[in-house]
Amino acid sequence: MDMAPISVEELQLATRNHGMPLEALRWPVTPVGLHYLLVHYDVPVVDEEAWRLGVDGEVEAPVELSLDELRALPAHEVVATFECAGNGRARFEPRPVSQPWLQEAVGTGRWRGARLRDVLALARPSERAVEVVFTGLDRGIEGGEEQDYRRSITLASAHEEDVLLAYALNDGPLPPQHGHPLRLLVPGWYGMTNVKWVARITVTAEPFTGYQQARGYRMRTSDDEEGTPVERILPRALMVPPGIPEFMSRDRTLAAGKVTIEGRAWSGHGDVEDVEVSTDGGVTWSSARLEPPDLGRWAWRRWTFAWEAAPGEHELACRARDAAGNEQPLAPAWNVGGYANNAVQRVRVTVS
Ligand SMILES: Nc1nc2c(c(=O)[nH]1)N[C@H]1C(S)=C(S)[C@@H](COP(=O)(O)O)O[C@H]1N2
Ligand SMILES: [Mo]
């Protein structure tokens, strides 16, 4: 793999924020410890007894809720595939300096919690309300600016039925690193929207202009552009690299004969309609067998592809297309923040 050397600062981020090993694509719901992790600042320690969720701003009846009060609201479950907007960043050239993901910043969780709209209904947003801002308990400095981690969604998004304030993951409590005791879940959007360690919800009459909305997570080709917001997840298919890896290079070796290549595919823009596989480095493509969307509309779908592996060197690749007509590119379009690189995965294998 040819790229500019990784700096110690990038390595520092990469050791804190781990990806999902690609062999974990075998699980429909990612075991908690294998789900990718991205934390901008520090993981806060939260005393769940003392913790309260405040809901205020442009509302008629500000409220404070304990975790027990949130658990007493109707519970709703959503299986959602998360992906970091920076997934694929390390493959841009030049490489934007931040968390250097290759392609593994993904995972699927079974999230359970209260619907955001049920919580908002308790506080009754006023007629002036347009957005809802979520403030996490983590604080840091970014772009020279000291800040709490904060993001907003529109009031319309806040009322969608699968938008949750989640207090459980895969039938257990939220682990500290994934937002204990409460996190926002906006299925279909890139990861940054799913604010962890939520302590305050502020309904506003103006669009939110905080750092993570107005400066971070925007597509721009030069620093001085305002850019356009990064929102929904673009389609991606990933395969479990077949065979066995060489320890350092991760190059794969497998025996000649019938091989089932398997993977998962997802999109935040609608159903995945087709997954194609190439066994000749992207020259020719054939459709994989796509399994039904058993986990619901927000989760990845499993696919398989039967390959008759002949001795020699091969480059495998896969790509997905969604119902909105988005298709994965062979080469990524560069941007300053290194966002949304959904170029096709390539896996080199030696068949013996
Ligand atoms: N409070 C808070 N929420 C946050 C973040 C953060 O640093 N602080 N990181 C965001 C980003 S960039 C991503 S990709 C997802 C990662 O979620 P996970 O670590 O649970 O996979 O959380 C989002 N929510
Ligand atoms: Mo992210």
Side-chain angles (χ1 to χ4, degrees):
M1 204 184 309
D2 296 322
M3 55 168 67
I6 293 277
S7 68
V8 170
E9 285 190 347
E10 288 170 297
L11 178 60
Q12 188 167 245
L13 285 176
T15 53
R16 290 181 52 83
N17 298 305
H18 65 81
M20 184 193 75
L22 293 183
E23 61 273 27
L25 288 163
R26 292 198 176 100
W27 279 276
V29 172
T30 312
V32 171
L34 294 177
H35 194 285
Y36 87 95
L37 183 70
L38 195 292
V39 178
H40 281 234
Y41 312 133
D42 293 346
V43 175
V45 180
V46 182
D47 171 1
E48 126 177 359
E49 295 298 315
W51 175 92
R52 291 291 180 277
L53 172 70
V55 186
D56 57 19
E58 287 290 336
V59 296
E60 280 161 25
V63 285
E64 278 213 336
L65 298 166
S66 67
L67 202 56
D68 281 342
E69 288 169 312
L70 284 161
R71 287 198 193 104
L73 293 171
H76 186 56
E77 204 168 77
V78 176
V79 180
T81 296
F82 278 16
E83 182 173 8
C84 180
N87 203 10
R89 175 181 291 125
R91 296 195 191 274
F92 280 121
E93 247 179 277
R95 185 174 68 246
V97 177
S98 183
Q99 168 71 24
W101 298 120
L102 292 167
Q103 60 213 341
E104 62 296 271
V106 63
T108 294
R110 187 183 297 282
W111 302 91
R112 189 178 177 79
R115 285 196 175 90
L116 174 61
R117 68 186 185 197
D118 291 348
V119 172
L120 287 176
L122 299 174
R124 300 202 304 270
S126 79
E127 288 194 340
R128 288 157 38 84
V130 295
E131 283 201 359
V132 186
V133 182
F134 300 82
T135 305
L137 287 169
D138 50 331
R139 192 169 172 78
I141 300 171
E142 204 171 338
E145 209 178 295
E146 188 172 326
Q147 57 190 288
D148 299 319
Y149 187 91
R150 302 181 88 191
R151 289 270 312 176
S152 74
I153 59 175
T154 63
L155 196 62
S157 292
H159 281 91
E160 283 177 20
E161 70 160 339
D162 291 331
V163 172
L164 297 190
L165 289 167
Y167 44 69
L169 170 59
N170 297 5
D171 301 316
L174 278 196
Q177 69 274 25
H178 292 296
H180 174 267
L182 193 75
R183 89 175 300 171
L184 176 65
L185 182 89
V186 186
W189 284 58
Y190 278 115
M192 72 284 162
T193 309
N194 305 305
V195 179
K196 305 194 257 195
W197 313 294
V198 174
R200 192 153 38 101
I201 296 179
T202 313
V203 179
T204 63
E206 308 283 335
F208 176 61
T209 57
Y211 182 89
Q212 304 296 345
Q213 208 92 20
R215 194 64 212 157
Y217 300 105
R218 295 185 81 91
M219 294 294 245
R220 46 168 79 87
T221 50
S222 75
D223 265 329
D224 46 19
E225 275 170 45
E226 197 187 323
T228 55
V230 175
E231 297 183 340
R232 289 183 175 276
I233 302 173
L234 289 170
R236 190 194 294 277
L238 287 178
M239 74 179 91
V240 177
I244 56 169
E246 197 278 320
F247 174 56
M248 279 305 297
S249 67
R250 312 301 299 176
D251 285 350
R252 316 294 301 187
T253 299
L254 59 136
K258 286 192 191 333
V259 178
T260 301
I261 301 173
E262 66 170 313
R264 309 231 174 221
W266 61 94
S267 169
H269 290 268
D271 285 348
V272 168
E273 291 206 324
D274 192 27
V275 171
E276 290 180 313
V277 173
S278 171
T279 57
D280 56 11
V283 181
T284 59
W285 295 85
S286 324
S287 284
R289 199 177 67 83
L290 200 52
E291 294 188 358
D294 292 338
L295 300 171
R297 59 191 287 226
W298 303 117
W300 54 22
R301 282 172 74 170
R302 184 168 186 267
W303 56 265
T304 56
F305 183 83
W307 181 37
E308 189 62 52
E313 307 276 320
H314 306 271
E315 187 181 85
L316 308 177
C318 57
R319 66 180 180 196
R321 178 168 47 75
D322 67 26
N326 300 300
E327 204 167 358
Q328 288 185 250
L330 295 178
W334 189 89
N335 63 91
V336 173
Y339 299 122
N341 177 1
N342 68 331
V344 301
Q345 175 195 17
R346 292 168 186 277
V347 179
R348 275 189 304 167
V349 300
T350 302
V351 177
S352 54

